[in-house]
Amino acid sequence: DGGITQSPKYLFRKEGQNVTLSCEQNLNHDAMYWYRQDPGQGLRLIYYSQIVNDFQKGDIAEGYSVSREKKESFPLTVTSAQKNPTAFYLCASSASLTEETQYFGPGTRLLVL
Amino acid sequence: GESVGLHLPTLSVQEGDNSIINCAYSNSASDYFIWYKQESGKGPQFIIDIRSNMDKRQGQRVTVLLNKTVKHLSLQIAATQPGDSAVYFCAETRSLNTGFQKLVFGTGTRLLVSP
């Protein structure tokens, strides 16, 4: 998984609850990304960040929020506004936003109770 | 709209056979393509990449072929092993006006290798 860690591996969310997924990288990469993966589908981009204190919405940002206070860390919060949060969440990083190759973490599976 | 897609959702092969996984893309402006392997419950793992100025690129037991005329990409795995069983994704990069190289993923092909 190339120096990218995600925790927890499994996460359970109660209705109306916000939950935060952790992503840490020790690759000294500037750019980080969050994707959502649903069964039988490809990865869809939620948010991305090219540098500390900067992040941009991806294709499906509604119901999610992020922060980038440190270069190594890019946590994702799934808010209660996300009505269908059950999915596999993948964090990735690349040397920069203009560097095409992204390396992925092991993922967090979020389930709704 | 533009998309990256795959011809076959599941490919079953015998151990030792060669496997070919196909991918079609529709954005003729894409200039970089990646193949990822994803094992069950894990994150995608980079396998091999190719730029649009190349037709073929080889790695260890894997070869990627790019046919820009018909916008087709394929991944060939030689002497397929049970450990190759996984879902394989192709992805293309699309440059946004900000310079961001956005990855667009296909839906994946599941490769099943029987001993």
Side-chain angles (χ1 to χ4, degrees), chain A residues 9 33 35 37 40 42-43 48 59 88 90 97-98 100-102 104-106, chain B residues 32 36 38 41-44 46 51 89 93 99-103 105-107:
Chain A
K9 187 174 177 65
Y33 313 82
Y35 292 89
Q37 186 176 31
L43 281 65
Y48 61 98
D59 299 319
F88 192 46
L90 289 157
L97 277 191
T98 56
E100 301 100 332
T101 306
Q102 295 178 21
F104 287 83
Chain B
Y32 181 72
Y36 285 94
Q38 186 177 26
K42 297 183 179 180
F46 174 89
R51 295 203 174 274
F89 292 94
T93 59
F100 173 34
Q101 300 292 326
K102 180 182 177 182
L103 279 182
F105 289 84
T107 54

PDB file of all heavy atoms in Angstrom, chain A residues 9 33 35 37 40 42-43 48 59 88 90 97-98 100-102 104-106, chain B residues 32 36 38 41-44 46 51 89 93 99-103 105-107:
ATOM      1  N   LYS A   9     -10.312   0.158   9.450  1.00  0.00           N
ATOM      2  CA  LYS A   9     -10.574  -0.698   8.298  1.00  0.00           C
ATOM      3  C   LYS A   9     -12.077  -0.801   8.062  1.00  0.00           C
ATOM      4  O   LYS A   9     -12.543  -0.830   6.920  1.00  0.00           O
ATOM      5  CB  LYS A   9      -9.979  -2.091   8.533  1.00  0.00           C
ATOM      6  CG  LYS A   9     -10.056  -3.011   7.327  1.00  0.00           C
ATOM      7  CD  LYS A   9      -9.317  -4.301   7.604  1.00  0.00           C
ATOM      8  CE  LYS A   9      -9.428  -5.275   6.432  1.00  0.00           C
ATOM      9  NZ  LYS A   9      -8.772  -4.760   5.223  1.00  0.00           N
ATOM     10  N   TYR A  33      -6.011  12.618  -2.254  1.00  0.00           N
ATOM     11  CA  TYR A  33      -7.332  12.449  -2.866  1.00  0.00           C
ATOM     12  C   TYR A  33      -8.199  11.513  -2.024  1.00  0.00           C
ATOM     13  O   TYR A  33      -7.683  10.614  -1.355  1.00  0.00           O
ATOM     14  CB  TYR A  33      -7.200  11.814  -4.259  1.00  0.00           C
ATOM     15  CG  TYR A  33      -6.146  12.422  -5.141  1.00  0.00           C
ATOM     16  CD1 TYR A  33      -4.807  12.058  -5.010  1.00  0.00           C
ATOM     17  CD2 TYR A  33      -6.484  13.349  -6.115  1.00  0.00           C
ATOM     18  CE1 TYR A  33      -3.830  12.607  -5.827  1.00  0.00           C
ATOM     19  CE2 TYR A  33      -5.511  13.906  -6.938  1.00  0.00           C
ATOM     20  CZ  TYR A  33      -4.191  13.530  -6.783  1.00  0.00           C
ATOM     21  OH  TYR A  33      -3.227  14.083  -7.590  1.00  0.00           O
ATOM     22  N   TYR A  35     -11.593   8.971  -2.737  1.00  0.00           N
ATOM     23  CA  TYR A  35     -12.497   8.365  -3.699  1.00  0.00           C
ATOM     24  C   TYR A  35     -13.518   7.516  -2.956  1.00  0.00           C
ATOM     25  O   TYR A  35     -13.246   6.969  -1.891  1.00  0.00           O
ATOM     26  CB  TYR A  35     -11.751   7.445  -4.668  1.00  0.00           C
ATOM     27  CG  TYR A  35     -10.825   8.141  -5.620  1.00  0.00           C
ATOM     28  CD1 TYR A  35      -9.502   8.381  -5.289  1.00  0.00           C
ATOM     29  CD2 TYR A  35     -11.276   8.534  -6.884  1.00  0.00           C
ATOM     30  CE1 TYR A  35      -8.645   9.008  -6.179  1.00  0.00           C
ATOM     31  CE2 TYR A  35     -10.421   9.152  -7.779  1.00  0.00           C
ATOM     32  CZ  TYR A  35      -9.113   9.387  -7.428  1.00  0.00           C
ATOM     33  OH  TYR A  35      -8.268   9.998  -8.306  1.00  0.00           O
ATOM     34  N   GLN A  37     -15.956   4.084  -3.668  1.00  0.00           N
ATOM     35  CA  GLN A  37     -16.139   2.947  -4.558  1.00  0.00           C
ATOM     36  C   GLN A  37     -17.384   2.190  -4.129  1.00  0.00           C
ATOM     37  O   GLN A  37     -17.490   1.725  -2.997  1.00  0.00           O
ATOM     38  CB  GLN A  37     -14.915   2.023  -4.527  1.00  0.00           C
ATOM     39  CG  GLN A  37     -14.993   0.893  -5.537  1.00  0.00           C
ATOM     40  CD  GLN A  37     -13.741   0.043  -5.551  1.00  0.00           C
ATOM     41  OE1 GLN A  37     -13.068  -0.133  -4.544  1.00  0.00           O
ATOM     42  NE2 GLN A  37     -13.416  -0.495  -6.724  1.00  0.00           N
ATOM     43  N   GLY A  40     -19.406  -2.902  -8.117  1.00  0.00           N
ATOM     44  CA  GLY A  40     -19.598  -2.935  -9.557  1.00  0.00           C
ATOM     45  C   GLY A  40     -19.346  -1.623 -10.257  1.00  0.00           C
ATOM     46  O   GLY A  40     -19.657  -1.482 -11.441  1.00  0.00           O
ATOM     47  N   GLY A  42     -16.663   1.947 -10.809  1.00  0.00           N
ATOM     48  CA  GLY A  42     -15.319   2.472 -10.687  1.00  0.00           C
ATOM     49  C   GLY A  42     -15.225   3.464  -9.542  1.00  0.00           C
ATOM     50  O   GLY A  42     -16.184   3.701  -8.821  1.00  0.00           O
ATOM     51  N   LEU A  43     -14.062   4.047  -9.380  1.00  0.00           N
ATOM     52  CA  LEU A  43     -13.829   4.999  -8.306  1.00  0.00           C
ATOM     53  C   LEU A  43     -14.330   6.380  -8.714  1.00  0.00           C
ATOM     54  O   LEU A  43     -14.122   6.819  -9.848  1.00  0.00           O
ATOM     55  CB  LEU A  43     -12.338   5.078  -7.996  1.00  0.00           C
ATOM     56  CG  LEU A  43     -11.730   3.963  -7.149  1.00  0.00           C
ATOM     57  CD1 LEU A  43     -11.784   2.615  -7.848  1.00  0.00           C
ATOM     58  CD2 LEU A  43     -10.308   4.306  -6.772  1.00  0.00           C
ATOM     59  N   TYR A  48     -10.067  16.587  -3.420  1.00  0.00           N
ATOM     60  CA  TYR A  48      -8.633  16.477  -3.605  1.00  0.00           C
ATOM     61  C   TYR A  48      -7.950  17.724  -3.066  1.00  0.00           C
ATOM     62  O   TYR A  48      -8.576  18.779  -2.914  1.00  0.00           O
ATOM     63  CB  TYR A  48      -8.263  16.230  -5.064  1.00  0.00           C
ATOM     64  CG  TYR A  48      -8.672  17.304  -6.042  1.00  0.00           C
ATOM     65  CD1 TYR A  48      -7.772  18.279  -6.454  1.00  0.00           C
ATOM     66  CD2 TYR A  48      -9.961  17.310  -6.586  1.00  0.00           C
ATOM     67  CE1 TYR A  48      -8.146  19.250  -7.376  1.00  0.00           C
ATOM     68  CE2 TYR A  48     -10.334  18.274  -7.505  1.00  0.00           C
ATOM     69  CZ  TYR A  48      -9.429  19.228  -7.907  1.00  0.00           C
ATOM     70  OH  TYR A  48      -9.805  20.192  -8.818  1.00  0.00           O
ATOM     71  N   ASP A  59     -16.131  15.176  -7.933  1.00  0.00           N
ATOM     72  CA  ASP A  59     -17.394  14.968  -8.638  1.00  0.00           C
ATOM     73  C   ASP A  59     -18.583  14.704  -7.710  1.00  0.00           C
ATOM     74  O   ASP A  59     -19.726  14.936  -8.094  1.00  0.00           O
ATOM     75  CB  ASP A  59     -17.253  13.787  -9.606  1.00  0.00           C
ATOM     76  CG  ASP A  59     -16.187  14.045 -10.653  1.00  0.00           C
ATOM     77  OD1 ASP A  59     -16.106  15.179 -11.162  1.00  0.00           O
ATOM     78  OD2 ASP A  59     -15.417  13.107 -10.956  1.00  0.00           O
ATOM     79  N   PHE A  88     -17.003   1.784   0.017  1.00  0.00           N
ATOM     80  CA  PHE A  88     -15.586   1.579   0.311  1.00  0.00           C
ATOM     81  C   PHE A  88     -14.879   2.879  -0.031  1.00  0.00           C
ATOM     82  O   PHE A  88     -14.991   3.365  -1.156  1.00  0.00           O
ATOM     83  CB  PHE A  88     -15.079   0.411  -0.545  1.00  0.00           C
ATOM     84  CG  PHE A  88     -13.732  -0.122  -0.162  1.00  0.00           C
ATOM     85  CD1 PHE A  88     -13.414  -0.374   1.160  1.00  0.00           C
ATOM     86  CD2 PHE A  88     -12.794  -0.398  -1.133  1.00  0.00           C
ATOM     87  CE1 PHE A  88     -12.173  -0.886   1.515  1.00  0.00           C
ATOM     88  CE2 PHE A  88     -11.542  -0.912  -0.799  1.00  0.00           C
ATOM     89  CZ  PHE A  88     -11.235  -1.154   0.529  1.00  0.00           C
ATOM     90  N   LEU A  90     -11.511   5.181  -0.429  1.00  0.00           N
ATOM     91  CA  LEU A  90     -10.094   5.033  -0.744  1.00  0.00           C
ATOM     92  C   LEU A  90      -9.404   6.382  -0.758  1.00  0.00           C
ATOM     93  O   LEU A  90      -9.889   7.337  -1.370  1.00  0.00           O
ATOM     94  CB  LEU A  90      -9.924   4.355  -2.098  1.00  0.00           C
ATOM     95  CG  LEU A  90     -10.295   2.875  -2.114  1.00  0.00           C
ATOM     96  CD1 LEU A  90     -10.635   2.412  -3.509  1.00  0.00           C
ATOM     97  CD2 LEU A  90      -9.161   2.051  -1.538  1.00  0.00           C
ATOM     98  N   LEU A  97      -0.348  17.530  -8.128  1.00  0.00           N
ATOM     99  CA  LEU A  97      -1.587  17.413  -8.907  1.00  0.00           C
ATOM    100  C   LEU A  97      -1.297  17.181 -10.384  1.00  0.00           C
ATOM    101  O   LEU A  97      -2.134  16.652 -11.111  1.00  0.00           O
ATOM    102  CB  LEU A  97      -2.437  18.677  -8.766  1.00  0.00           C
ATOM    103  CG  LEU A  97      -3.342  18.801  -7.549  1.00  0.00           C
ATOM    104  CD1 LEU A  97      -4.291  19.973  -7.738  1.00  0.00           C
ATOM    105  CD2 LEU A  97      -4.114  17.527  -7.268  1.00  0.00           C
ATOM    106  N   THR A  98      -0.113  17.580 -10.833  1.00  0.00           N
ATOM    107  CA  THR A  98       0.219  17.394 -12.243  1.00  0.00           C
ATOM    108  C   THR A  98       0.930  16.064 -12.475  1.00  0.00           C
ATOM    109  O   THR A  98       1.263  15.721 -13.608  1.00  0.00           O
ATOM    110  CB  THR A  98       1.090  18.547 -12.765  1.00  0.00           C
ATOM    111  OG1 THR A  98       2.256  18.639 -11.939  1.00  0.00           O
ATOM    112  CG2 THR A  98       0.325  19.853 -12.696  1.00  0.00           C
ATOM    113  N   GLU A 100       0.599  12.220 -12.741  1.00  0.00           N
ATOM    114  CA  GLU A 100      -0.573  11.405 -13.029  1.00  0.00           C
ATOM    115  C   GLU A 100      -0.728  10.187 -12.131  1.00  0.00           C
ATOM    116  O   GLU A 100      -1.838   9.773 -11.821  1.00  0.00           O
ATOM    117  CB  GLU A 100      -0.556  10.918 -14.490  1.00  0.00           C
ATOM    118  CG  GLU A 100      -0.532  12.034 -15.525  1.00  0.00           C
ATOM    119  CD  GLU A 100       0.842  12.292 -16.074  1.00  0.00           C
ATOM    120  OE1 GLU A 100       1.825  12.030 -15.354  1.00  0.00           O
ATOM    121  OE2 GLU A 100       0.933  12.761 -17.219  1.00  0.00           O
ATOM    122  N   THR A 101       0.372   9.568 -11.737  1.00  0.00           N
ATOM    123  CA  THR A 101       0.275   8.302 -11.029  1.00  0.00           C
ATOM    124  C   THR A 101      -0.112   8.529  -9.583  1.00  0.00           C
ATOM    125  O   THR A 101       0.584   9.228  -8.841  1.00  0.00           O
ATOM    126  CB  THR A 101       1.602   7.531 -11.099  1.00  0.00           C
ATOM    127  OG1 THR A 101       1.980   7.392 -12.455  1.00  0.00           O
ATOM    128  CG2 THR A 101       1.434   6.159 -10.472  1.00  0.00           C
ATOM    129  N   GLN A 102      -1.225   7.918  -9.191  1.00  0.00           N
ATOM    130  CA  GLN A 102      -1.692   7.994  -7.812  1.00  0.00           C
ATOM    131  C   GLN A 102      -1.508   6.650  -7.143  1.00  0.00           C
ATOM    132  O   GLN A 102      -1.707   5.603  -7.759  1.00  0.00           O
ATOM    133  CB  GLN A 102      -3.163   8.403  -7.778  1.00  0.00           C
ATOM    134  CG  GLN A 102      -3.408   9.806  -8.319  1.00  0.00           C
ATOM    135  CD  GLN A 102      -4.871  10.178  -8.319  1.00  0.00           C
ATOM    136  OE1 GLN A 102      -5.677   9.598  -7.589  1.00  0.00           O
ATOM    137  NE2 GLN A 102      -5.232  11.167  -9.118  1.00  0.00           N
ATOM    138  N   PHE A 104      -2.573   4.270  -3.781  1.00  0.00           N
ATOM    139  CA  PHE A 104      -3.745   4.139  -2.927  1.00  0.00           C
ATOM    140  C   PHE A 104      -3.441   3.501  -1.585  1.00  0.00           C
ATOM    141  O   PHE A 104      -2.537   2.678  -1.454  1.00  0.00           O
ATOM    142  CB  PHE A 104      -4.813   3.299  -3.638  1.00  0.00           C
ATOM    143  CG  PHE A 104      -5.490   4.037  -4.753  1.00  0.00           C
ATOM    144  CD1 PHE A 104      -4.924   4.110  -6.014  1.00  0.00           C
ATOM    145  CD2 PHE A 104      -6.695   4.691  -4.531  1.00  0.00           C
ATOM    146  CE1 PHE A 104      -5.537   4.807  -7.040  1.00  0.00           C
ATOM    147  CE2 PHE A 104      -7.322   5.388  -5.551  1.00  0.00           C
ATOM    148  CZ  PHE A 104      -6.736   5.447  -6.799  1.00  0.00           C
ATOM    149  N   GLY A 105      -4.255   3.880  -0.601  1.00  0.00           N
ATOM    150  CA  GLY A 105      -4.240   3.221   0.684  1.00  0.00           C
ATOM    151  C   GLY A 105      -5.102   1.972   0.656  1.00  0.00           C
ATOM    152  O   GLY A 105      -5.708   1.644  -0.368  1.00  0.00           O
ATOM    153  N   PRO A 106      -5.209   1.267   1.797  1.00  0.00           N
ATOM    154  CA  PRO A 106      -5.941  -0.008   1.848  1.00  0.00           C
ATOM    155  C   PRO A 106      -7.454   0.143   1.918  1.00  0.00           C
ATOM    156  O   PRO A 106      -8.170  -0.832   1.751  1.00  0.00           O
ATOM    157  CB  PRO A 106      -5.398  -0.665   3.112  1.00  0.00           C
ATOM    158  CG  PRO A 106      -4.994   0.485   3.970  1.00  0.00           C
ATOM    159  CD  PRO A 106      -4.493   1.543   3.034  1.00  0.00           C
TER     160      PRO A 106
ATOM    161  N   TYR B  32      -2.454   9.658 -21.157  1.00  0.00           N
ATOM    162  CA  TYR B  32      -1.785   8.800 -20.184  1.00  0.00           C
ATOM    163  C   TYR B  32      -2.806   7.826 -19.642  1.00  0.00           C
ATOM    164  O   TYR B  32      -3.928   8.219 -19.298  1.00  0.00           O
ATOM    165  CB  TYR B  32      -1.196   9.663 -19.074  1.00  0.00           C
ATOM    166  CG  TYR B  32      -0.442   8.922 -18.009  1.00  0.00           C
ATOM    167  CD1 TYR B  32       0.810   8.369 -18.260  1.00  0.00           C
ATOM    168  CD2 TYR B  32      -0.971   8.784 -16.734  1.00  0.00           C
ATOM    169  CE1 TYR B  32       1.511   7.704 -17.279  1.00  0.00           C
ATOM    170  CE2 TYR B  32      -0.270   8.117 -15.744  1.00  0.00           C
ATOM    171  CZ  TYR B  32       0.967   7.582 -16.016  1.00  0.00           C
ATOM    172  OH  TYR B  32       1.658   6.929 -15.040  1.00  0.00           O
ATOM    173  N   TYR B  36      -4.635  -0.664 -12.893  1.00  0.00           N
ATOM    174  CA  TYR B  36      -4.546  -0.976 -11.476  1.00  0.00           C
ATOM    175  C   TYR B  36      -5.113  -2.370 -11.233  1.00  0.00           C
ATOM    176  O   TYR B  36      -6.046  -2.809 -11.904  1.00  0.00           O
ATOM    177  CB  TYR B  36      -5.364   0.013 -10.639  1.00  0.00           C
ATOM    178  CG  TYR B  36      -4.754   1.389 -10.479  1.00  0.00           C
ATOM    179  CD1 TYR B  36      -5.098   2.429 -11.336  1.00  0.00           C
ATOM    180  CD2 TYR B  36      -3.860   1.651  -9.445  1.00  0.00           C
ATOM    181  CE1 TYR B  36      -4.566   3.701 -11.165  1.00  0.00           C
ATOM    182  CE2 TYR B  36      -3.321   2.914  -9.264  1.00  0.00           C
ATOM    183  CZ  TYR B  36      -3.674   3.930 -10.127  1.00  0.00           C
ATOM    184  OH  TYR B  36      -3.143   5.197  -9.962  1.00  0.00           O
ATOM    185  N   GLN B  38      -6.866  -4.607  -8.120  1.00  0.00           N
ATOM    186  CA  GLN B  38      -7.463  -4.476  -6.800  1.00  0.00           C
ATOM    187  C   GLN B  38      -7.909  -5.840  -6.290  1.00  0.00           C
ATOM    188  O   GLN B  38      -8.829  -6.446  -6.842  1.00  0.00           O
ATOM    189  CB  GLN B  38      -8.650  -3.505  -6.806  1.00  0.00           C
ATOM    190  CG  GLN B  38      -9.201  -3.237  -5.418  1.00  0.00           C
ATOM    191  CD  GLN B  38     -10.328  -2.214  -5.412  1.00  0.00           C
ATOM    192  OE1 GLN B  38     -11.022  -2.035  -6.407  1.00  0.00           O
ATOM    193  NE2 GLN B  38     -10.511  -1.533  -4.290  1.00  0.00           N
ATOM    194  N   GLY B  41     -11.148  -6.322  -0.862  1.00  0.00           N
ATOM    195  CA  GLY B  41     -11.000  -5.619   0.406  1.00  0.00           C
ATOM    196  C   GLY B  41      -9.752  -4.775   0.530  1.00  0.00           C
ATOM    197  O   GLY B  41      -9.432  -4.292   1.623  1.00  0.00           O
ATOM    198  N   LYS B  42      -9.042  -4.573  -0.581  1.00  0.00           N
ATOM    199  CA  LYS B  42      -7.804  -3.797  -0.547  1.00  0.00           C
ATOM    200  C   LYS B  42      -7.873  -2.617  -1.508  1.00  0.00           C
ATOM    201  O   LYS B  42      -8.770  -2.534  -2.346  1.00  0.00           O
ATOM    202  CB  LYS B  42      -6.607  -4.681  -0.904  1.00  0.00           C
ATOM    203  CG  LYS B  42      -6.370  -5.809   0.086  1.00  0.00           C
ATOM    204  CD  LYS B  42      -5.118  -6.588  -0.289  1.00  0.00           C
ATOM    205  CE  LYS B  42      -4.857  -7.703   0.723  1.00  0.00           C
ATOM    206  NZ  LYS B  42      -3.621  -8.477   0.378  1.00  0.00           N
ATOM    207  N   GLY B  43      -6.924  -1.719  -1.405  1.00  0.00           N
ATOM    208  CA  GLY B  43      -6.851  -0.589  -2.309  1.00  0.00           C
ATOM    209  C   GLY B  43      -6.230  -0.978  -3.641  1.00  0.00           C
ATOM    210  O   GLY B  43      -5.525  -1.990  -3.735  1.00  0.00           O
ATOM    211  N   PRO B  44      -6.497  -0.222  -4.698  1.00  0.00           N
ATOM    212  CA  PRO B  44      -5.894  -0.502  -6.005  1.00  0.00           C
ATOM    213  C   PRO B  44      -4.379  -0.399  -5.960  1.00  0.00           C
ATOM    214  O   PRO B  44      -3.824   0.482  -5.299  1.00  0.00           O
ATOM    215  CB  PRO B  44      -6.499   0.587  -6.899  1.00  0.00           C
ATOM    216  CG  PRO B  44      -7.751   1.013  -6.216  1.00  0.00           C
ATOM    217  CD  PRO B  44      -7.454   0.887  -4.761  1.00  0.00           C
ATOM    218  N   PHE B  46      -0.945  -0.086  -8.347  1.00  0.00           N
ATOM    219  CA  PHE B  46      -0.425   0.290  -9.665  1.00  0.00           C
ATOM    220  C   PHE B  46       0.265  -0.912 -10.317  1.00  0.00           C
ATOM    221  O   PHE B  46       1.064  -1.600  -9.690  1.00  0.00           O
ATOM    222  CB  PHE B  46       0.568   1.436  -9.497  1.00  0.00           C
ATOM    223  CG  PHE B  46       1.286   1.818 -10.761  1.00  0.00           C
ATOM    224  CD1 PHE B  46       0.761   2.764 -11.613  1.00  0.00           C
ATOM    225  CD2 PHE B  46       2.505   1.236 -11.089  1.00  0.00           C
ATOM    226  CE1 PHE B  46       1.427   3.122 -12.768  1.00  0.00           C
ATOM    227  CE2 PHE B  46       3.171   1.588 -12.241  1.00  0.00           C
ATOM    228  CZ  PHE B  46       2.638   2.531 -13.078  1.00  0.00           C
ATOM    229  N   ARG B  51       1.957   6.009 -22.074  1.00  0.00           N
ATOM    230  CA  ARG B  51       1.619   7.319 -22.619  1.00  0.00           C
ATOM    231  C   ARG B  51       1.133   7.164 -24.054  1.00  0.00           C
ATOM    232  O   ARG B  51       1.420   6.172 -24.711  1.00  0.00           O
ATOM    233  CB  ARG B  51       2.828   8.254 -22.580  1.00  0.00           C
ATOM    234  CG  ARG B  51       3.261   8.578 -21.181  1.00  0.00           C
ATOM    235  CD  ARG B  51       4.041   9.867 -21.063  1.00  0.00           C
ATOM    236  NE  ARG B  51       4.302  10.171 -19.661  1.00  0.00           N
ATOM    237  CZ  ARG B  51       3.446  10.827 -18.886  1.00  0.00           C
ATOM    238  NH1 ARG B  51       2.305  11.248 -19.375  1.00  0.00           N
ATOM    239  NH2 ARG B  51       3.745  11.069 -17.628  1.00  0.00           N
ATOM    240  N   PHE B  89      -8.594  -2.480 -13.158  1.00  0.00           N
ATOM    241  CA  PHE B  89      -9.177  -1.229 -13.639  1.00  0.00           C
ATOM    242  C   PHE B  89      -8.217  -0.551 -14.604  1.00  0.00           C
ATOM    243  O   PHE B  89      -7.019  -0.491 -14.350  1.00  0.00           O
ATOM    244  CB  PHE B  89      -9.387  -0.243 -12.483  1.00  0.00           C
ATOM    245  CG  PHE B  89     -10.429  -0.643 -11.493  1.00  0.00           C
ATOM    246  CD1 PHE B  89     -10.086  -1.338 -10.344  1.00  0.00           C
ATOM    247  CD2 PHE B  89     -11.753  -0.314 -11.695  1.00  0.00           C
ATOM    248  CE1 PHE B  89     -11.040  -1.710  -9.420  1.00  0.00           C
ATOM    249  CE2 PHE B  89     -12.720  -0.674 -10.774  1.00  0.00           C
ATOM    250  CZ  PHE B  89     -12.357  -1.363  -9.636  1.00  0.00           C
ATOM    251  N   THR B  93      -6.117   9.715 -17.804  1.00  0.00           N
ATOM    252  CA  THR B  93      -5.984  11.031 -17.191  1.00  0.00           C
ATOM    253  C   THR B  93      -6.561  12.087 -18.117  1.00  0.00           C
ATOM    254  O   THR B  93      -6.393  12.036 -19.325  1.00  0.00           O
ATOM    255  CB  THR B  93      -4.527  11.382 -16.884  1.00  0.00           C
ATOM    256  OG1 THR B  93      -3.770  11.359 -18.088  1.00  0.00           O
ATOM    257  CG2 THR B  93      -3.934  10.421 -15.888  1.00  0.00           C
ATOM    258  N   GLY B  99      -4.516  22.427 -14.510  1.00  0.00           N
ATOM    259  CA  GLY B  99      -3.316  21.611 -14.554  1.00  0.00           C
ATOM    260  C   GLY B  99      -3.473  20.288 -13.835  1.00  0.00           C
ATOM    261  O   GLY B  99      -2.606  19.422 -13.912  1.00  0.00           O
ATOM    262  N   PHE B 100      -4.569  20.127 -13.117  1.00  0.00           N
ATOM    263  CA  PHE B 100      -4.854  18.898 -12.383  1.00  0.00           C
ATOM    264  C   PHE B 100      -5.022  17.759 -13.365  1.00  0.00           C
ATOM    265  O   PHE B 100      -5.799  17.835 -14.307  1.00  0.00           O
ATOM    266  CB  PHE B 100      -6.113  19.108 -11.547  1.00  0.00           C
ATOM    267  CG  PHE B 100      -6.635  17.875 -10.856  1.00  0.00           C
ATOM    268  CD1 PHE B 100      -5.790  16.884 -10.380  1.00  0.00           C
ATOM    269  CD2 PHE B 100      -8.002  17.723 -10.652  1.00  0.00           C
ATOM    270  CE1 PHE B 100      -6.277  15.764  -9.731  1.00  0.00           C
ATOM    271  CE2 PHE B 100      -8.510  16.603 -10.006  1.00  0.00           C
ATOM    272  CZ  PHE B 100      -7.651  15.626  -9.545  1.00  0.00           C
ATOM    273  N   GLN B 101      -4.274  16.667 -13.139  1.00  0.00           N
ATOM    274  CA  GLN B 101      -4.381  15.461 -13.948  1.00  0.00           C
ATOM    275  C   GLN B 101      -5.388  14.540 -13.286  1.00  0.00           C
ATOM    276  O   GLN B 101      -5.044  13.734 -12.419  1.00  0.00           O
ATOM    277  CB  GLN B 101      -3.017  14.784 -14.069  1.00  0.00           C
ATOM    278  CG  GLN B 101      -1.953  15.641 -14.714  1.00  0.00           C
ATOM    279  CD  GLN B 101      -2.238  15.887 -16.169  1.00  0.00           C
ATOM    280  OE1 GLN B 101      -2.777  15.038 -16.862  1.00  0.00           O
ATOM    281  NE2 GLN B 101      -1.874  17.066 -16.653  1.00  0.00           N
ATOM    282  N   LYS B 102      -6.635  14.655 -13.699  1.00  0.00           N
ATOM    283  CA  LYS B 102      -7.704  13.888 -13.070  1.00  0.00           C
ATOM    284  C   LYS B 102      -7.744  12.480 -13.629  1.00  0.00           C
ATOM    285  O   LYS B 102      -7.689  12.274 -14.841  1.00  0.00           O
ATOM    286  CB  LYS B 102      -9.045  14.577 -13.322  1.00  0.00           C
ATOM    287  CG  LYS B 102     -10.224  13.860 -12.702  1.00  0.00           C
ATOM    288  CD  LYS B 102     -11.526  14.588 -13.039  1.00  0.00           C
ATOM    289  CE  LYS B 102     -12.722  13.832 -12.486  1.00  0.00           C
ATOM    290  NZ  LYS B 102     -13.990  14.516 -12.844  1.00  0.00           N
ATOM    291  N   LEU B 103      -7.824  11.496 -12.735  1.00  0.00           N
ATOM    292  CA  LEU B 103      -7.956  10.101 -13.157  1.00  0.00           C
ATOM    293  C   LEU B 103      -9.428   9.752 -13.310  1.00  0.00           C
ATOM    294  O   LEU B 103     -10.224  10.009 -12.428  1.00  0.00           O
ATOM    295  CB  LEU B 103      -7.336   9.167 -12.133  1.00  0.00           C
ATOM    296  CG  LEU B 103      -5.823   8.948 -12.142  1.00  0.00           C
ATOM    297  CD1 LEU B 103      -5.434   7.933 -11.074  1.00  0.00           C
ATOM    298  CD2 LEU B 103      -5.338   8.496 -13.502  1.00  0.00           C
ATOM    299  N   PHE B 105     -11.781   6.439 -13.975  1.00  0.00           N
ATOM    300  CA  PHE B 105     -11.670   4.983 -13.889  1.00  0.00           C
ATOM    301  C   PHE B 105     -12.798   4.293 -14.633  1.00  0.00           C
ATOM    302  O   PHE B 105     -13.933   4.764 -14.666  1.00  0.00           O
ATOM    303  CB  PHE B 105     -11.735   4.545 -12.424  1.00  0.00           C
ATOM    304  CG  PHE B 105     -10.526   4.896 -11.623  1.00  0.00           C
ATOM    305  CD1 PHE B 105     -10.399   6.146 -11.053  1.00  0.00           C
ATOM    306  CD2 PHE B 105      -9.509   3.976 -11.446  1.00  0.00           C
ATOM    307  CE1 PHE B 105      -9.284   6.483 -10.308  1.00  0.00           C
ATOM    308  CE2 PHE B 105      -8.387   4.291 -10.702  1.00  0.00           C
ATOM    309  CZ  PHE B 105      -8.279   5.549 -10.131  1.00  0.00           C
ATOM    310  N   GLY B 106     -12.486   3.136 -15.196  1.00  0.00           N
ATOM    311  CA  GLY B 106     -13.500   2.244 -15.711  1.00  0.00           C
ATOM    312  C   GLY B 106     -14.125   1.464 -14.569  1.00  0.00           C
ATOM    313  O   GLY B 106     -13.731   1.601 -13.407  1.00  0.00           O
ATOM    314  N   THR B 107     -15.110   0.613 -14.899  1.00  0.00           N
ATOM    315  CA  THR B 107     -15.826  -0.121 -13.860  1.00  0.00           C
ATOM    316  C   THR B 107     -15.087  -1.367 -13.413  1.00  0.00           C
ATOM    317  O   THR B 107     -15.421  -1.948 -12.394  1.00  0.00           O
ATOM    318  CB  THR B 107     -17.229  -0.510 -14.339  1.00  0.00           C
ATOM    319  OG1 THR B 107     -17.111  -1.224 -15.565  1.00  0.00           O
ATOM    320  CG2 THR B 107     -18.076   0.729 -14.552  1.00  0.00           C
TER     321      THR B 107
END
